[in-house]
Amino acid sequence: MRIALFGGSFNPIHLGHLRAAEEDREAMGLDLIYFVPAASPPHKPPIGLAPAEHRLQMVRLATKGNRYFMVSDVEVRRGGSSFTIDTVRYFRATMRAQPELYLIMGGDQFVELDTWKEADELAGLCNIIVHRRLGERQQSAEVPIEKLDRFGYDAQDNFYVHSSGHTLKFVGTTFFPISATVIRRKVAAGESIRYLVPSDVADYIERHVRY
């Protein structure tokens, strides 16, 4: 069984997140994807960050109805700074039958991977999927060769392979010109966010969240 973790602040979750996860799932033959909202993202300032319980509920609303999408509250329950290495260790220790574990991240996150807590060990604990949004004109969309060398990945077939045997795969996904930052600005300005986020999420933000 192939299970992936997709973490982030999800402030708020939007259609770009959901479509990237769906295309990652298809490309990699994933059985389940766990969305893992962070309690406190260590690489982002807390200014403008909605309370964790609201972000968790928005992720639950956004993913309902997709049998391949699950939601984990492990980082919200743990509290404090949410370090990916701790979450990966938790899943490895608690999941039955030791499935193949994957970690999903964006190209911009992979570029910054060496700043993450215990990044070297993280690369050896799980497979990594990096989605690069096709059509996005950003430097982060390029394969950062220096990062591949830094973490000891070797090119093999259509993958990069770590010395632990875990793989790194770059997956091209549809570029949606949507960002959580723009959505928050629209909410603050009283503008519509319909069709940028799922309708249930838009309703929830209108009732409960202030940016």
Side-chain angles (χ1 to χ4, degrees):
M1 193 169 190
R2 293 182 166 193
I3 295 178
L5 310 179
F6 186 11
S9 57
F10 299 119
N11 187 41
I13 190 168
H14 55 69
L15 297 182
H17 294 129
L18 296 167
R19 185 60 199 176
E22 180 73 355
E23 293 184 12
D24 289 338
R25 181 191 67 78
E26 283 192 317
M28 299 300 297
L30 301 173
D31 297 290
L32 290 174
I33 296 178
Y34 279 86
F35 287 71
V36 189
S40 179
H43 285 79
K44 293 185 178 181
I47 298 173
L49 185 67
E53 60 269 21
H54 286 320
R55 291 182 286 108
L56 175 64
Q57 182 59 23
M58 287 188 282
V59 172
R60 286 174 171 154
L61 290 170
T63 57
K64 70 178 183 180
N66 187 327
R67 64 190 179 94
Y68 299 106
F69 288 177
M70 308 291 286
V71 181
S72 172
D73 65 354
V74 60
E75 293 188 352
V76 174
R77 285 188 290 105
R78 190 166 62 222
S81 294
S82 299
F83 295 108
T84 301
I85 185 71
D86 298 330
T87 302
V88 169
R89 285 172 175 153
Y90 170 83
F91 273 86
R92 283 176 57 92
T94 59
M95 300 200 80
R96 297 179 180 178
Q98 291 299 303
E100 285 189 71
L101 190 61
Y102 292 77
L103 178 64
I104 294 174
M105 65 179 70
D108 53 347
Q109 292 173 305
F110 185 70
V111 168
E112 298 178 349
L113 185 59
D114 53 4
T115 69
W116 291 20
K117 178 183 177 183
E118 299 180 49
D120 288 294
E121 182 165 353
L122 179 63
L125 286 179
C126 60
N127 305 291
I128 295 178
I129 301 168
V130 180
H131 50 241
R132 296 183 295 151
R133 296 178 289 187
L134 299 176
E136 183 181 21
R137 295 183 178 179
Q138 289 187 359
Q139 189 174 11
S140 62
E142 301 299 324
V143 178
I145 300 300
E146 69 278 3
K147 300 296 179 182
L148 303 178
D149 293 338
R150 159 74 171 77
F151 290 103
Y153 286 106
D154 292 322
Q156 294 185 22
D157 297 324
N158 201 26
F159 291 83
Y160 293 90
V161 181
H162 189 264
S163 57
S164 65
H166 290 106
T167 61
L168 167 68
K169 173 70 173 180
F170 290 86
V171 175
T173 59
T174 303
F175 171 46
F176 279 46
I178 302 172
S179 77
T181 300
V182 169
I183 292 170
R184 293 194 300 271
R185 287 174 182 165
K186 285 184 175 293
V187 172
E191 299 175 0
S192 172
I193 58 171
R194 296 285 174 183
Y195 315 114
L196 298 176
V197 300
S199 57
D200 285 349
V201 173
D203 290 339
Y204 187 90
I205 290 173
E206 185 176 351
R207 293 195 305 269
H208 301 290
V209 182
R210 296 293 178 267
Y211 286 115

